[in-house]
Amino acid sequence: MLNCHTERSRSVVSASHNLEQNMKYIIYIFTFLFFAISVNAQESLEFKKLENAVLAGGTLLRVEAFPSENIKPRPVDVWLPENYTADKKYAVLYMHDGQNLFDATTTWNKQEWMVDEWATKLMNSGEVKDFIVVGVHNIPQIRWQDLYPEKAMNFMPTKVRDSLITIAKESNFNVNFKGDEYLSFLVDELKPVIDNQFSVLSDKENTFVAGSSMGGLMSMYAISEYPDVFGGAGCLSTHWPGAMPSPNNPHPVAIFDYMKKNLPEAGTHKLYFDYGNKTLDQYYPKYAPNVDEILKEKGYTDNDSKNLFFEGTNHSEQSWNQRLNQPLVFLLGK
């Protein structure tokens, strides 16, 4: 009886082991198939030319709803310079708020960054290397959640963070932070497609990220979280208050503490910051010493970092397009 019982036990154990192995195999197959389908779907994405885009030069292409497992799908634009050719390789500049970059006739405020104007002019004059621009559109209702540097919240005292979240929820404000997912979209979903479909250099030295306001924060966050992917970041009118400017605001302290720990050390990256002093930019000058101090502590000099003040400039595309040559030359200069 003992032997029979032992044999039955062994059979049960063996069957259980086989079932476990089979389940692992099935999960593996489904994971592989899902990944393969996702990759094939992205590789088959077609960037269609925007025939009616009003541009100073180059060509604008768009995917209307770029698929993502990380963030809500949204349009993604790719601007190609004049005489773009597969016979040479181009650097890549990823930019946030893509709908505001190229064509003022389609923007909400009839302003634009004039990216195509500046890029065309600077490439033609030989001041910068040849590059393309990838513009990720924002979704206004969730822009803040997408672009806030998510891990900075961990640098707040727990009670302060919990209090802010409670107040936000009571005000029916969405606190579903997506900054990390937004970066996963950029790095793991969007960049492989750009590298595959366009004639570009995929190394860190030729991959840059830029934006303004919350997009400035996200650009700083991108190069901090993925220093092996992005070699430079352009952060215009960076929104150091993090949320609505207010007395005793805990966001800037948390953001700067995050930067002290995570901003890449000097030597292999370029960091560009700037700010004005009108409209929303009026809240930024007081934070300039904090930025300067962090850059100095990290070993940055004028050769690989900037934190520039533009007197009398406000928080708008009109201000950013007047000085866009500064970050472009600094980051992509020959």
Side-chain angles (χ1 to χ4, degrees):
M1 290 294 292
L2 181 59
N3 289 338
C4 291
H5 177 74
T6 301
E7 287 301 322
R8 283 198 298 271
S9 297
R10 288 175 178 171
S11 297
V12 171
V13 171
S14 178
S16 176
H17 176 74
N18 290 337
L19 178 61
E20 182 180 352
Q21 291 299 315
N22 288 337
M23 287 301 296
K24 288 182 178 179
Y25 180 72
I26 291 172
I27 292 172
Y28 170 79
I29 292 296
F30 272 105
T31 302
F32 175 79
L33 289 174
F34 175 80
F35 177 76
I37 291 171
S38 299
V39 170
N40 289 334
Q42 289 186 335
E43 287 182 349
S44 64
L45 283 172
E46 181 182 359
F47 285 85
K48 297 182 179 180
K49 182 179 179 181
L50 296 183
E51 299 289 351
N52 297 323
V54 179
L55 302 171
T59 302
L60 193 61
L61 312 175
R62 176 174 296 169
V63 169
E64 286 292 347
F66 199 102
S68 174
E69 294 297 320
N70 289 289
I71 60 173
K72 186 174 181 178
R74 77 273 316 273
V76 171
D77 293 344
V78 174
W79 178 82
L80 303 178
E82 296 174 347
N83 303 317
Y84 168 85
T85 174
D87 294 334
K88 63 180 179 181
K89 297 287 187 178
Y90 297 77
V92 184
L93 173 62
Y94 290 88
M95 297 189 71
H96 318 294
D97 301 319
Q99 64 263 55
N100 299 329
L101 302 179
F102 306 104
D103 184 358
T105 67
T106 62
T107 62
W108 68 275
N109 60 0
K110 303 307 177 184
Q111 297 182 26
E112 59 164 299
W113 281 65
M114 298 177 63
V115 172
D116 49 311
E117 282 87 346
W118 276 116
T120 299
K121 179 179 179 179
L122 295 173
M123 277 188 265
N124 286 342
S125 66
E127 294 178 70
V128 298
K129 63 179 74 176
D130 292 331
F131 68 99
I132 73 170
V133 180
V134 180
V136 180
H137 286 220
N138 71 57
I139 298 176
Q141 297 82 356
I142 55 173
R143 179 176 178 269
W144 186 86
Q145 291 81 358
D146 281 346
L147 299 182
Y148 187 89
E150 188 172 344
K151 289 188 176 68
M153 290 295 288
N154 298 331
F155 287 80
M156 284 187 191
T158 303
K159 289 184 178 180
V160 174
R161 181 177 68 245
D162 291 347
S163 175
L164 288 176
I165 292 175
T166 298
I167 294 172
K169 288 181 177 179
E170 290 175 349
S171 303
N172 294 318
F173 184 80
N174 179 1
V175 291
N176 184 19
F177 294 100
K178 286 288 186 178
D180 290 341
E181 289 82 358
Y182 182 87
L183 286 183
S184 292
F185 163 73
L186 284 185
V187 173
D188 299 325
E189 296 178 328
L190 178 57
K191 187 176 185 296
V193 172
I194 299 300
D195 292 347
N196 180 62
Q197 291 201 27
F198 298 93
S199 182
V200 297
L201 297 160
S202 60
D203 59 320
K204 176 189 71 176
E205 287 71 23
N206 290 284
T207 305
F208 305 90
V209 60
S212 64
S213 194
M214 292 301 296
L217 281 182
M218 178 48 64
S219 298
M220 174 279 295
Y221 195 52
I223 201 172
S224 299
E225 291 293 300
Y226 292 93
D228 295 332
V229 174
F230 300 104
C235 313
L236 288 72
S237 293
T238 308
H239 190 58
W240 300 119
M244 290 295 293
S246 61
N248 303 314
N249 185 353
H251 289 282
V253 176
I255 291 169
F256 290 136
D257 284 346
Y258 167 84
M259 290 174 64
K260 290 174 184 178
K261 183 175 181 180
N262 295 284
L263 203 67
E265 299 291 339
T268 57
H269 297 81
K270 287 186 175 181
L271 296 172
Y272 173 95
F273 299 97
D274 72 21
Y275 56 102
N277 61 349
K278 300 297 181 181
T279 64
L280 191 56
D281 271 41
Q282 69 181 290
Y283 298 100
Y284 302 160
K286 69 178 182 179
Y287 298 115
N290 300 82
V291 179
D292 291 336
E293 181 182 355
I294 293 171
L295 291 173
K296 184 177 180 180
E297 288 176 353
K298 290 286 184 176
Y300 285 90
T301 67
D302 288 342
N303 294 324
D304 53 9
S305 71
K306 300 292 181 185
N307 187 24
L308 305 180
F309 172 54
F310 292 90
E311 172 69 45
T313 59
N314 63 25
H315 198 83
S316 69
E317 287 79 12
Q318 193 66 35
S319 289
W320 303 322
N321 71 37
Q322 291 177 10
R323 63 181 190 256
L324 183 58
N325 60 311
Q326 299 264 4
L328 290 182
V329 172
F330 180 70
L331 296 175
L332 291 135
K334 291 183 176 179

